[in-house]
Amino acid sequence: MKKPVFNVRRIVMFVLFLLICMGLYLLALNSYCDQGGNFDLGVCAITSFIPF
């Protein structure tokens, strides 16, 4: 029998990895915006809702 390419554990690990990457990216953007950085796309307005 062939093993399935996608199993539940692999999908959960991939989603967890994406969430960690997204969190670190938002943390870096939040830090940049707190230091006075400015984006034309309104990213600093979005990061103002982040509690950390």
Side-chain angles (χ1 to χ4, degrees), residues 2-50:
K2 258 179 125 175
K3 265 181 112 174
V5 177
F6 295 108
N7 57 12
V8 175
R9 185 170 187 236
R10 184 174 285 178
I11 293 172
V12 168
M13 292 298 287
F14 181 73
V15 169
L16 186 64
F17 177 74
L18 283 179
L19 287 175
I20 290 171
C21 289
M22 190 82 115
L24 290 174
Y25 180 71
L26 287 175
L27 184 65
L29 278 180
N30 191 30
S31 177
Y32 177 74
C33 291
D34 286 346
Q35 292 176 2
N38 194 4
F39 283 105
D40 292 334
L41 299 175
V43 175
C44 289
I46 295 170
T47 59
S48 65
F49 297 114
I50 299 173

